Amino acid sequence: MSQHEEDKNGPDTEGTGNHAEILRRHGEAIALFGSRVRRVRDDQWDDPTPCAEWSVRDLVGHLTVEQLWVPRLVRDGATIEEVGDAYDGDQLGDDPAGAWDRAAVAAVAAFSEPGALDRTVHLSSGTGTAAGYCSQMTMDAVVHSWDLSRAIRADENLPQDLAAAALREVEPYADELAGTSMFADPVTPPPGADDLTRLLCLLGRRP
């Protein structure tokens, strides 16, 4: 994966809430995924995940690459073409958790710089605000935290405020994500489903 997969399929949205709230949710979502990465046992990296054809290592690799793109797009104002194939191939090496931690810290720092969320970013879906990009990345981390939790048999109960924010983010373009490598066709949620269940069902998961 060379860039944020959801950006390839959905429009750039502006995100919801003020910048402090966007950054808070993003930081919590990144920390949530990181907590699951650090629970992966040595014998689980090749295990399957709810993401079609992705192993645990593939999933962690995908999210790690997503974070590697953030400083280039947000801090440097680079285009997709300028970054090119810099992050193609394996980025985890012999220390997947360490690779994730380093990439995550750099991504959070880039989004958190003064004025960063007001900047224009160049995504494969077009140009938009870094605030919208940050909200997309939050949604991505929340959903994939559940994927990783299920894959490694960790706690699948995620914070409801993060689930609600991710649901609000993805609803406008969920139809465009169906059928991708990560997001299958939606399934009908049970009556009275909470936001996490609705989010997962909307993106083709079966909680």
Side-chain angles (χ1 to χ4, degrees):
M1 294 290 172
S2 63
Q3 195 231 344
H4 189 266
E5 191 69 24
E6 285 70 50
D7 294 336
K8 297 175 183 176
N9 296 286
D12 178 52
T13 60
E14 295 301 320
T16 58
N18 61 37
H19 286 184
E21 185 68 9
I22 291 171
L23 291 173
R24 181 188 67 79
R25 288 196 302 256
H26 175 259
E28 289 177 357
I30 293 299
L32 177 66
F33 188 81
S35 72
R36 298 309 191 264
V37 172
R38 287 183 285 278
R39 292 190 61 179
V40 179
R41 300 193 313 265
D42 289 344
D43 62 349
Q44 291 180 314
W45 288 103
D46 292 327
D47 286 357
T49 72
C51 305
E53 301 181 1
W54 278 9
S55 67
V56 168
R57 186 181 176 91
D58 294 331
L59 176 57
V60 174
H62 166 71
L63 264 290
T64 299
V65 168
E66 298 298 89
Q67 310 319 306
L68 292 173
W69 275 83
V70 174
R72 295 301 318 277
L73 298 179
V74 175
R75 179 179 293 149
D76 301 340
T79 65
I80 303 302
E81 293 74 22
E82 288 170 340
V83 178
D85 61 0
Y87 304 122
D88 286 0
D90 177 62
Q91 299 293 323
L92 298 182
D94 296 330
D95 181 18
W100 158 260
D101 284 341
R102 290 186 292 273
V105 167
V108 169
F111 276 130
S112 300
E113 289 181 355
L117 295 190
D118 291 317
R119 296 172 189 161
T120 296
V121 290
H122 305 284
L123 308 175
S124 57
S125 58
T127 59
T129 66
Y133 179 36
C134 189
S135 291
Q136 290 180 10
M137 293 287 276
T138 298
M139 180 275 295
D140 196 47
V142 171
V143 174
H144 288 318
S145 291
W146 183 87
D147 291 330
L148 187 53
S149 296
R150 171 152 291 192
I152 66 171
R153 296 175 291 283
D155 184 8
E156 296 177 14
N157 294 310
L158 308 184
Q160 284 296 321
D161 62 331
L162 285 180
L167 180 62
R168 290 194 303 270
E169 164 62 27
V170 77
E171 279 180 323
Y173 54 88
D175 289 346
E176 300 174 38
L177 300 178
T180 68
S181 60
M182 285 135 342
F183 301 118
D185 292 337
V187 297
T188 302
D194 61 16
D195 286 334
L196 177 59
T197 300
R198 290 170 58 208
L199 172 70
L200 297 170
C201 289
L202 182 64
L203 297 176
R205 272 62 175 168
R206 296 182 181 276

